[in-house]
């Protein structure tokens, strides 16, 4: 009998070191749907849009990926006035680096 996912589980693919099919122990359809959605979301924008995002991210002190992820997740473009959100992104970057070193 399959276990019910935790309340906070989003149905995405497993993130741990699982030895088995890429979709884990769950439904392969969900894995393929997430894979297609990820590819669609990260589809390369036009050259002009990419250059504008890179310039804006550099002025804010973020990477292109961090800036683009903010647009994709929250649907808004960061500005210089968004100091709290920018600081939170940079703090998360430092936490990711520290966890990676463990």
């Amino acid at each position: 009998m399959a276990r019910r996912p935790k309340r906070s589980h989003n149905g995405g693919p497993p993130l741990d070191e699982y030895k088995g099919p890429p979709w884990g122990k769950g439904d392969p359809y969900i894995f393929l749907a997430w894979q297609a959605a990820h590819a669609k979301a990260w589809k390369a924008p036009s050259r002009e849009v990419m250059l504008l995002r890179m310039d804006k991210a550099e002025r804010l002190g973020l990477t292109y990926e961090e800036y683009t992820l903010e647009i994709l997740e929250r649907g808004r473009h960061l500005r210089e006035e968004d100091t709290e959100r920018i600081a939170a992104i940079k703090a998360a970057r430092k936490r990711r680096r520290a966890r990676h070193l463990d």
Side-chain angles (χ1 to χ4, degrees):
M1 187 165 155
R3 283 202 250 162
R4 279 183 77 184
K6 293 180 183 177
R7 180 180 174 146
S8 62
H9 196 291
N10 63 6
L15 299 177
D16 56 353
E17 296 294 325
Y18 172 72
K19 304 279 190 239
W23 53 84
K25 299 174 187 171
D27 186 4
Y29 174 77
I30 293 174
F31 173 78
L32 295 174
W34 272 87
Q35 197 173 39
H38 181 271
K40 183 178 177 183
W42 283 99
K43 184 179 131 190
S46 67
R47 182 177 188 276
E48 291 79 19
V49 170
M50 189 179 302
L51 290 174
L52 285 172
R53 287 182 185 172
M54 286 174 63
D55 181 52
K56 184 77 175 219
E58 186 176 312
R59 282 189 279 134
L60 295 173
L62 302 173
T63 65
Y64 172 79
E65 289 80 12
E66 290 169 338
Y67 185 75
T68 303
L69 190 59
E70 186 69 19
I71 295 169
L72 293 174
E73 285 183 340
R74 292 181 174 72
R76 60 187 299 263
H77 297 264
L78 292 172
R79 295 178 289 164
E80 286 82 9
E81 298 85 36
D82 299 322
T83 55
E84 289 179 23
R85 182 64 195 142
I86 294 168
I89 293 170
K90 289 180 181 179
R93 178 193 313 160
K94 290 177 184 173
R95 285 193 303 271
R96 279 193 307 272
R97 283 185 190 154
R99 261 189 288 150
H100 191 273
L101 297 175
D102 289 345

